[in-house]
Amino acid sequence: MAHHVYRFGAGKADGRGDQTDLLGGKGANLAEMTALGIPVPPGFTITTDVCNYARNNQGAYPAKLKEQVEGALARVSEITGDGFGDREKPLLVSVRSGAPASMPGMMDTVLNLGLNDETVLGLADSTGDPRFAYDCYRRFVAMYGDVVMGVGAASEHDESPFSRILDEKKRDRGVELDSELSAEDLKSVVTAYKIEILREREVSFPEDPMAQLWGAIAAVFRSWDTPRARAYRRMYNISDALGTAVNVQAMVFGNLGEDSATGVAFTRDPSTGAKGVYGEFLLNAQGEDVVAGTRTPEPVEMLKARMPAAYDELLTVCERLERHFKDMQDLEFTIQRGTLWLLQTRRGKRTGAAMVRIAVDMAQEGLIGERVAIRRVDPERLSEVMHPRIDDERRPQLLTKGLPASPGAAIGRVVFTASEAEEWAQRGEQVILVRTETSPEDIQGMNAAAGILTSRGGMTSHAAVVARGMGKCCIVGAGEVRVDAPRGRLVVGDTVVQKGDTLTLDGTSGEVLLGTASLIPAQMTGEFETLMGWVDEVRRLRVRTNADTPADARTARAFGAEGIGLCRTEHMFFQPERIREVRRMILADSEDARRRALEAILPMQRDDFLEIFREMDGLPVTVRLLDPPLHEFLPHSSQDIADVASDLGVRPEDLAAAVSALREENPMLGHRGCRLAMSYPEIYETQAKAIASAAAEAVREGVTVIPEVMVPLVAVAEELQIVRERIIDVIEETFAAENVKIAYLVGTMIELPRACVVGDKIAQHADFFSFGTNDLTQTTYGLSRDDASRFLPGYIERGVLARDPFVALDREGVGALIRMAVEKGRGVKTKLKIGICGEHGGEASSVEFCHVEGFDYVSCSPFRVPVARLAAARAALRGEARAK
Amino acid sequence: MAHHVYRFGAGKADGRGDQTDLLGGKGANLAEMTALGIPVPPGFTITTDVCNYARNNQGAYPAKLKEQVEGALARVSEITGDGFGDREKPLLVSVRSGAPASMPGMMDTVLNLGLNDETVLGLADSTGDPRFAYDCYRRFVAMYGDVVMGVGAASEHDESPFSRILDEKKRDRGVELDSELSAEDLKSVVTAYKIEILREREVSFPEDPMAQLWGAIAAVFRSWDTPRARAYRRMYNISDALGTAVNVQAMVFGNLGEDSATGVAFTRDPSTGAKGVYGEFLLNAQGEDVVAGTRTPEPVEMLKARMPAAYDELLTVCERLERHFKDMQDLEFTIQRGTLWLLQTRRGKRTGAAMVRIAVDMAQEGLIGERVAIRRVDPERLSEVMHPRIDDERRPQLLTKGLPASPGAAIGRVVFTASEAEEWAQRGEQVILVRTETSPEDIQGMNAAAGILTSRGGMTSHAAVVARGMGKCCIVGAGEVRVDAPRGRLVVGDTVVQKGDTLTLDGTSGEVLLGTASLIPAQMTGEFETLMGWVDEVRRLRVRTNADTPADARTARAFGAEGIGLCRTEHMFFQPERIREVRRMILADSEDARRRALEAILPMQRDDFLEIFREMDGLPVTVRLLDPPLHEFLPHSSQDIADVASDLGVRPEDLAAAVSALREENPMLGHRGCRLAMSYPEIYETQAKAIASAAAEAVREGVTVIPEVMVPLVAVAEELQIVRERIIDVIEETFAAENVKIAYLVGTMIELPRACVVGDKIAQHADFFSFGTNDLTQTTYGLSRDDASRFLPGYIERGVLARDPFVALDREGVGALIRMAVEKGRGVKTKLKIGICGEHGGEASSVEFCHVEGFDYVSCSPFRVPVARLAAARAALRGEARAK
């Protein structure tokens, strides 16, 4: 018989902690904790297989499920001594989702299930607290009505009818708080809820506990496929095919008086990674109150004074769990009349900084090995460690302070709804999303925002958990802030901040600042350096940087860059004192005139290269020769044309005509890259001369120079052959004149599909290939990155593309062409040096691709260098693992 | 010992007619004619190997060459009885180039070589004509000075110094014609020539005949590498590596009085292909006079009266040569004092019409087989047969008449220099190049022009020969025309035509018409139909057409199209009565509003499809769904925006904002093709409904409909999957509602590199692949066709690209991707139908590629259909030949 149901309780469990795929994360860990002898309320898990069976069979279940659920429920009764539907000692259960991958807050939960007009009396009797019993009952009916029966679903953004009824009752009774309502009041609220359900859904609230249970199970399964759950999975690359498990577990109550509590705890600080239990709790409350952030909870240390035995037990459990799972745990607990119960444990989400510190600390504690530590750090999260921070000496005016929920700094314009955040971000604005509190509906707006600010909620509120997961700066519970979303403003005391005004968030201190702060770069922690040391021992791929200026080169070298993989030269043409000569060059009607203009730029370019060579002493520097179409250097508006014409001393009509003649329908596919050099060889000749001459000067200064000259946009081997020959001639002439000998390479950027297809021919004229994956992706897809925003997000949303191919290299399409080029290129030149210099060079999955395909190096922006180093090491480890 | 020199003469030859690569065309045929017993002056051929040896060895020759040349020269002396450098009976020789591929007028020739101050006396004595001897001498010195010594090369476009000296002499003597100068006069001209040579080159004219010979041989070899020769080879796809042979041959003289003549003849009419010898001659002239076109020659029939014996012998020789070579011959002859000598024979260049007629006639005469006839017709030339002709009922005013040198009609604006012709053509103008006479320097301008008109020269003048080779309309010898190039005008009587005015040339009648004529389509000849019949038996590839309208469909079907391979639908949106609804659709802010606008267009689209289905009764029709980005349908200038806004009843600001929002940086890579359907499914749904509903109506009318729906710009298999599903749903719903069952296909256009790479995945959702090679070439090269004109011609000029990849499919790059897509697609779906619908579908070498790769069909514009049919047959024949 297939096992659809896995039981746990009283120290025994059918399942194990490694059965995450089958039992979900929560179910597997409940089983594991039970088996470890940790106090867990008994219950059972319905497998993800059942979820997927139901999804594929119009909601029908496997034949044996009913029998197995009933058997498991009987076992829970046996352990607790309570009966499901029993009028005297009713067993109440929670029904929760539990997917193989964590999706906090994304799916549905029903608590206190099993209550009806009869069992509520039993609960009142057995607890001796009728008010508590009716409070449980009204919570259950509201939750069931909402989650299972869909009441109020149509009016998603308005107040729920259940809240409205409760508020009316409080108004009737002239009270402010729920706790001031009597058992009788709550009983009448329950009745009003049931009327509302019947009115809206035309179905009665089910009094039969068994019917309640099956309803809740179905609702949890269904919640796997809600749009918001799908969107979340898309964002975190979680497969829709996993399905969720359902956990049915005996209820314990944190709201049975002042000797009861509920809380969450992390075995280490999820924000900094510091050792020591970290968490918070609410006295006399149910778990949903903590997560929802409606009451601001107390730090877990306060428990020591209030319930020392329970606190000590909590610390012991934390230590056992961490040692057992060998990772920082995020756990939910409830104290029912002094007794500690664990409701959940899972790998704790953490900031990038905490990720690094915890991994390194645990390795140094001997809990895990160094290689495991490397695998514990997600390269994409590493960039958070390098977040810039706010320059304290020029700190803008403080507006208010909240809880520092997720570190880093964010500067942006204030918006008040998730959809505004998305819209503004899409048109390129940095925004700060300000909400009273966030809800799962806000996920996409949070993702679009640079930072998040809430006026309510604690360090484990929805906003805080999600923002940390995203590595996004976040401040929560800024209680002074009055959010007035309808009027598009927030108010702190006398200060009014309008929608569109700029705020700076300091996620490390919790400070909210008025206006724009200036930022200073991050400083690396000791743990970071330790980790990077381990990383460098493991990786095979070299990591270079894309840097156009000496400052970038310096930053990147500090981050461990082992050379420059892409030094673009166009910026050298754009600088104010040079652009005039560049324009003269473009407008020249003879080679001579062009050469004269270029000669004027030469000394400045040579100085640029010299400074970069100095910064990169001893490391290779790949210089890409001029790439953009020439019209990019010309003015376009008529005012600019008039100004430039007067500056150059030409007639505006003539300049306008030249601008118009150079205009291109598709500049991306136009007269650029080496095509320019084919038309105007003197451009690359001047650049080659500047490089060679700077190299000679650097060598005289004692600097070790390793220049690599890169020719862009080659489609045909003959282009490279012709252009390379001229470059080599010029470099050799210059070296001869300067009386130096310096080894150098001349290679090409592979960024067109045709170049991949004829990689063997091109390799004959190239010392190296560097894949320009930005343009290669554009041409392979026939997709202009500038124009893709109108539909590409929709493609990812709908799963037509798994990921944005401009972010993560498309292995199936672009990757296949790259593989072809590598095979063909190395086929004729075994030692051909191969790298990547598109933005993918700093993205982890793309770095892994480069490792697998035998690249020599990746090159990425300075701040991504550590990310790439780590990704390279992880790729090497995965390679070793596969090889075994 | 290597044979560098192949002798011929007195009925014996070292070489054979099939040794073209080694001996060049002229040398091989001289050997063949000699061996056939045809009267050929004795001589010898220096091989192309020697040319290539010299090119690779800084002009040095193989060691044995000198000895072999001297031996061969002695043998010529032996046959003629004259001695090279002999004072009594001097042997004079011609030194001519002779490449493996014909390059008329492109390379150098030296005649009368062997004359010096002593041998000229012997020539005067032996001919008894001192004036003749000195005329030969002055011609030789001028030719040698020009060709070998480079005198006057610096002043290319001015009068040569030798012409100037001769003109001065005539002025001195008060005479008009060369023939009025005496022997003494000519002798002093020779001296003046020699002074000019010494003055300009600082080297004396060589008196030693042997030195003259080696100088001339070197000059001929060098002439292989002149820019104009290179440009010619580029244009005709002749390899630079072939090299030229040199033919040294005893002189015979057509200028020894009224019983001497020189001429050229074709064994059939090269313009129409009509049977019978066709040609012209000049009495008392040397060959250069005929080709240069400076005197207008007489038709060859006139020779019958003047020299009946020589004429009869000429006819006999023509017949023998044609029977021997089994092809129409173009021959040069000289009659020296009544004796016929053949100087050259070669395959005659001919118009496309003549090519068809000669091939079919010869096959019907039994001279060649039908398959050989197919191989004799160049598909690229076939389009000439389908040239439109001028509508006689609305013929513009006649300006003048010349010789109909190359048929067809051309309309264009008048220019007077080759460089103007190139410049104007590059900016998209149709031009008529008008010259007194053309020279090899004009080649590229002629190529750029729509038609050519000269005021001098005959049917075998440079202009006529070259234009026929190009298949370009040409009228020569329009003697009434006074060309006044410096003033940018031509004058005929009182009529002045300014540069930029429009003329129409009727190349079939020789008429020059003022202004723009209206043209009517060609009618196919019987020979054409016969040939096409043979072609259709041989070919395997089906040939469809790209046709968007019923008229195009009808034309194409008349030309033999076997279906429509590409029916673009955008034009259906552009028509005036529809564009308003299209714009409403684009500007709509809801799917409903878009659907309403689309519904308004639906009935009109259905009628379009219905008409096309009727025309294509029984044949497949591939409809491509909407492809261009939507902004193409919106106005762009502010005036147009204002007009359209008022028409649509929207505010101009709003329309301008919408236009601006839809603007794209790179529209080629933008929101178009199936990406539109992913965003707005209703567009393709409406089109699918129109197609299905038209098909149903057609079937009710008794028409057999085979619809094939084509989805453009697929990059990712999921796009096609999603779009195809909707299309099939709509079609099935429509057929169900209309109560019909019609078989149809849904496939895709493969036009992106990524689609090729994932051809296997895409094939799972496609009934057919049709390669859109225009866009595939653009994306594979990263090259916008619209923007390529600034540098692509230079690439072809320099040989970086062998041919324009937008004209002839790039097999190495684009072809490799296509092959990959075919293999992957057929790998998962053996019967996958495969075609091509880019413009390459009508280009012969691309059609061959499609045949080799196992395509099912090619599709091309209506007028290219016969070209593609022929190309497909030739590809099949080549395939058979290879298989043997």
Side-chain angles (χ1 to χ4, degrees), chain B residues 298-373:
Chain B
E298 297 175 79
V300 77
E301 296 79 20
M302 302 296 283
L303 203 56
K304 185 169 187 177
R306 294 185 189 276
M307 290 182 249
Y311 180 68
D312 284 348
E313 194 177 354
L314 179 63
L315 293 193
T316 308
V317 164
C318 281
E319 204 192 330
R320 280 194 65 190
L321 286 174
E322 190 175 278
R323 260 192 320 199
H324 180 74
F325 288 105
K326 298 188 196 301
D327 200 355
M328 186 266 273
Q329 297 294 300
D330 164 3
L331 43 90
E332 288 179 20
F333 63 89
T334 286
I335 301 172
Q336 180 175 326
R337 292 186 171 158
T339 305
L340 178 73
W341 293 98
L342 269 292
L343 299 182
Q344 169 160 339
T345 189
R346 58 186 171 187
R347 208 185 142 275
K349 298 213 174 202
R350 63 204 80 179
T351 64
M355 196 176 272
V356 172
R357 176 153 178 197
I358 291 171
V360 172
D361 280 354
M362 285 188 171
Q364 289 178 335
E365 289 160 23
L367 207 57
I368 58 176
E370 288 172 7
R371 297 185 159 220
V372 173

Side-chain angles (χ1 to χ4, degrees), chain B residues 591 595 681-690 726-727 730:
Chain B
E591 187 184 321
R595 281 197 189 275
E682 52 279 9
I683 297 178
Y684 282 11
E685 288 171 20
T686 307
Q687 291 198 293
K689 191 166 168 187
R726 289 300 302 131
I727 292 169
V730 169

Side-chain angles (χ1 to χ4, degrees), chain B residues 718-749:
Chain B
E718 286 76 6
E719 290 175 320
L720 184 58
Q721 180 178 22
I722 291 169
V723 170
R724 175 189 161 96
E725 211 164 85
R726 289 300 302 131
I727 292 169
I728 289 179
D729 284 353
V730 169
I731 293 179
E732 293 294 341
E733 277 165 26
T734 310
F735 284 170
E738 305 249 9
N739 199 22
V740 292
K741 275 193 198 304
I742 302 169
Y744 62 97
L745 304 180
V746 181
T748 184
M749 204 153 163

Side-chain angles (χ1 to χ4, degrees), chain A residues 719 754 761 781 795 812, chain B residues 675 719 761 795 810 812:
Chain A
E719 289 175 321
R754 194 177 192 285
K761 306 239 160 101
Y781 273 89
Y795 271 42
E812 179 179 86
Chain B
R675 295 165 188 169
E719 290 175 320
K761 306 238 159 103
Y795 271 42
D810 159 40
E812 178 180 86

Side-chain angles (χ1 to χ4, degrees), chain A residues 232-267:
Chain A
Y232 184 92
R233 291 197 292 270
R234 200 73 57 232
M235 201 177 313
Y236 289 95
N237 294 314
I238 299 169
S239 163
D240 285 339
L242 293 177
T244 183
V246 175
N247 297 291
V248 178
Q249 192 175 19
M251 284 296 299
V252 287
F253 296 98
N255 52 347
L256 269 176
E258 296 299 306
D259 57 352
S260 297
T262 189
V264 299
F266 294 88
T267 60

Side-chain angles (χ1 to χ4, degrees), chain A residues 631 660-672 674-681 713 715-719 722 752-755 757-758 761 778-788 790-791 795 798-801 810 812-814 816-817 820, chain B residues 631 660-672 674-681 713 715-719 722 752-755 757-758 761 778-788 790-791 795 798-801 810 812-814 816-817 820:
Chain A
H631 52 76
S660 157
L662 286 171
R663 211 186 70 82
E664 295 183 309
E665 286 297 315
N666 296 287
M668 163 71 210
L669 308 177
H671 194 188
R672 49 172 286 239
C674 70
R675 296 165 189 170
L676 291 174
M678 295 291 284
S679 304
Y680 313 114
L713 213 76
V716 180
E718 287 76 5
E719 289 175 321
I722 291 168
L752 297 174
R754 194 177 192 285
V757 172
V758 300
K761 306 239 160 101
Q778 297 197 82
T779 46
T780 301
Y781 273 89
L783 181 54
S784 163
R785 193 172 186 176
D786 293 330
D787 303 314
R790 212 167 290 125
F791 58 93
Y795 271 42
R798 294 167 72 175
V800 174
L801 292 174
D810 159 40
E812 179 179 86
V814 178
L817 286 172
M820 183 187 301
Chain B
H631 53 76
S660 159
L662 285 171
R663 210 187 70 83
E664 294 183 308
E665 287 297 314
N666 294 288
M668 163 70 212
L669 308 176
H671 195 187
R672 47 173 288 237
C674 69
R675 295 165 188 169
L676 290 174
M678 294 291 284
S679 304
Y680 314 115
L713 212 75
V716 179
E718 286 76 6
E719 290 175 320
I722 291 169
L752 297 174
R754 195 178 191 286
V757 173
V758 300
K761 306 238 159 103
Q778 296 197 81
T779 46
T780 302
Y781 273 89
L783 180 53
S784 164
R785 193 174 185 174
D786 293 330
D787 302 314
R790 211 166 291 124
F791 57 94
Y795 271 42
R798 294 168 70 174
V800 174
L801 292 173
D810 159 40
E812 178 180 86
V814 177
L817 286 171
M820 184 187 302

Side-chain angles (χ1 to χ4, degrees), chain A residues 446-469:
Chain A
M446 294 171 75
N447 196 35
I452 297 141
L453 170 63
T454 72
S455 57
R456 285 207 278 183
M459 291 295 277
T460 51
S461 65
H462 179 264
V465 170
V466 170
R468 275 200 297 274

